[in-house]
Amino acid sequence: MVKLRAGLIGLGMMGRHHARVLGETDGVELVAVADAYGDPHGVAADMPLRNTVEELIAHGLDMVVCAVPTGLHEEVGLALAEAGIHTLIEKPIASTVDGGLRLAEAFEAKGLVGAVGHIERYNPALQSLRARLENADLGTVYQIATRRQGPFPARIADVGVIKDLGTHDIDLTAWLAQSEYQSVSARATTRSGREHEDMVAATGQLANGIITSHLVNWLSPMKERVTVVTGERGSFLADTLTADLTFYENGTISTQWDSVANFRGVSEGNVTRLAIPKREPLKVEHEAFRDAVLAARGESSTAPETPAAQIVTMREGLNTLRVAEAMVDSSREARTIRLQD
């Protein structure tokens, strides 16, 4: 198999991980990197280090990973689309919905693979959870609730916590439920002295009736990445920090103590920590992107680890950004916002 010539633009905290994984992905050769601010983590090694996307494009690339700050996604992405290069852009797709739409349309017009790096979809716990929901292990799903809390990331300066971190939970929720958001209501606060929100509590409802809850902040010393899906047969709890998936089953033994039974509603059943294979999500994401590029070229991967995972398309990334902007608007206007098709 001829190796795909890959480039990377943006060598910050995420860029260094992309560089490592690109170097480890079968069928891909990382041939050049670029960043206007240099190479703070020393990932270039003996590769050419360029300053601009135009200089990177000159290396004759098949695919590029774009890990520049969110505010530059549109500019860099449009240049790559114009050059005819398949591109994976880190999430969110852009800083605005209009910018995201221009990106999606540009890649579609050229017949290129345009992907967005919503990495949580590739977390082993969530991959397993989605398969179990498709298998109706919970029966009817009632609610998807997420908690994403931790210390302030110094790498972020151009967006707030909703677009930076909240987009993870928006995307994974719609993906798990296989349904888009119908409405959102959010309350946010700004405590760091920056112009963007640092903390949000949001609720929503999906088109299929599932209700959602999201608690997101970067003001907590406690790091937490939890998704809880509750349905008629119990609850799944996915910890994406450890990639653990636990099933809390509704009990089948009736409670004879009336006051306890009335208080608890359903009874407590078995709790099972599920054994699942655990591959690094970023590697699975890159393999999915590689395979999508090969498919667009009329080729196929021969790598034995080829996953069943699919890319997150730019249209999906755009839908996620629309929900995020609705949350921002809801928090500013103190009202529920209904999303239109």
Side-chain angles (χ1 to χ4, degrees):
M1 180 173 61
V2 177
K3 287 190 174 183
L4 296 168
R5 291 175 60 81
L8 168 65
I9 182 164
L11 304 179
M13 294 298 290
M14 277 304 300
R16 64 174 178 168
H17 295 301
H18 282 295
R20 171 180 57 82
V21 173
L22 281 166
E24 297 172 352
T25 302
D26 289 340
V28 174
E29 180 184 7
L30 180 59
V31 298
V33 297
D35 194 309
Y37 296 98
D39 184 15
H41 302 290
V43 303
D46 57 354
M47 287 182 291
L49 173 61
R50 305 307 183 197
N51 292 320
T52 68
V53 66
E54 290 78 16
E55 292 175 355
L56 187 67
I57 289 169
H59 284 272
L61 305 172
D62 300 307
M63 54 186 276
V64 164
V65 174
C66 174
V68 298
T70 303
L72 297 175
H73 284 188
E74 181 183 357
E75 175 187 344
V76 173
L78 289 177
L80 292 167
E82 181 63 26
I85 300 175
H86 305 289
T87 302
L88 168 65
I89 295 180
E90 261 301 338
K91 62 86 206 155
I93 182 173
S95 57
T96 67
V97 166
D98 287 344
L101 179 60
R102 285 188 286 269
L103 280 171
E105 290 178 342
F107 279 85
E108 290 167 357
K110 290 276 191 173
L112 297 168
V113 175
V116 184
H118 283 287
I119 195 170
E120 289 286 43
R121 286 203 196 184
Y122 306 97
N123 189 285
L126 294 179
Q127 288 267 321
S128 179
L129 175 52
R130 166 144 162 158
R132 293 170 194 275
L133 295 179
E134 287 182 335
N135 194 46
D137 287 9
L138 276 187
T140 301
V141 176
Y142 302 149
Q143 180 188 53
I144 300 177
T146 67
R147 302 192 304 273
R148 185 175 299 271
Q149 306 178 89
F152 183 80
R155 62 186 173 82
I156 299 301
D158 54 350
V159 294
V161 75
I162 294 174
K163 288 185 178 179
D164 182 60
L165 296 183
T167 46
H168 281 304
D169 296 316
I170 294 166
D171 179 75
L172 73 85
T173 296
W175 176 70
L176 285 175
Q178 300 187 54
S179 181
E180 294 184 2
Y181 279 75
Q182 188 176 72
S183 64
V184 293
S185 179
R187 296 295 181 270
T189 187
T190 301
R191 299 292 177 178
S192 65
R194 299 161 66 252
E195 62 176 311
H196 302 292
E197 78 285 344
D198 302 307
M199 177 180 287
V200 63
T203 59
Q205 185 162 32
L206 306 183
N208 62 3
I210 294 174
I211 60 174
T212 71
S213 168
H214 308 297
L215 180 62
V216 189
N217 77 72
W218 50 33
L219 299 178
S220 171
M222 172 189 67
K223 194 167 185 178
E224 185 179 40
R225 303 284 187 271
V226 172
T227 299
V228 181
V229 182
T230 301
E232 63 179 322
R233 295 176 185 165
S235 297
F236 281 108
L237 188 152
D239 185 330
T240 55
L241 281 176
T242 59
D244 288 330
L245 181 62
T246 304
F247 179 42
Y248 292 80
E249 185 179 1
N250 286 350
T252 56
I253 299 174
S254 60
T255 301
Q256 302 300 318
W257 187 359
D258 290 342
S259 60
V260 172
N262 291 334
F263 175 73
R264 290 186 174 177
V266 300
S267 59
E268 296 176 358
N270 295 326
V271 178
T272 306
R273 181 174 171 182
L274 300 161
I276 56 176
K278 297 182 180 181
R279 299 190 65 225
E280 182 182 353
L282 193 60
K283 291 184 177 181
V284 180
E285 180 181 65
H286 274 269
E287 289 164 5
F289 179 48
R290 172 202 63 196
D291 292 348
V293 171
L294 289 171
R297 292 158 53 101
E299 305 170 26
S300 61
S301 171
T302 58
E305 80 281 7
T306 300
Q310 302 296 312
I311 63 167
V312 181
T313 68
M314 286 190 169
R315 287 287 171 176
E316 291 176 297
L318 181 58
N319 286 340
T320 295
L321 184 56
R322 283 195 178 105
V323 178
E325 287 204 349
M327 284 186 181
V328 173
D329 291 342
S330 173
S331 68
R332 289 174 178 169
E333 300 168 12
R335 66 183 179 93
T336 297
I337 293 182
R338 185 175 179 86
L339 290 117
Q340 304 299 316
D341 292 336

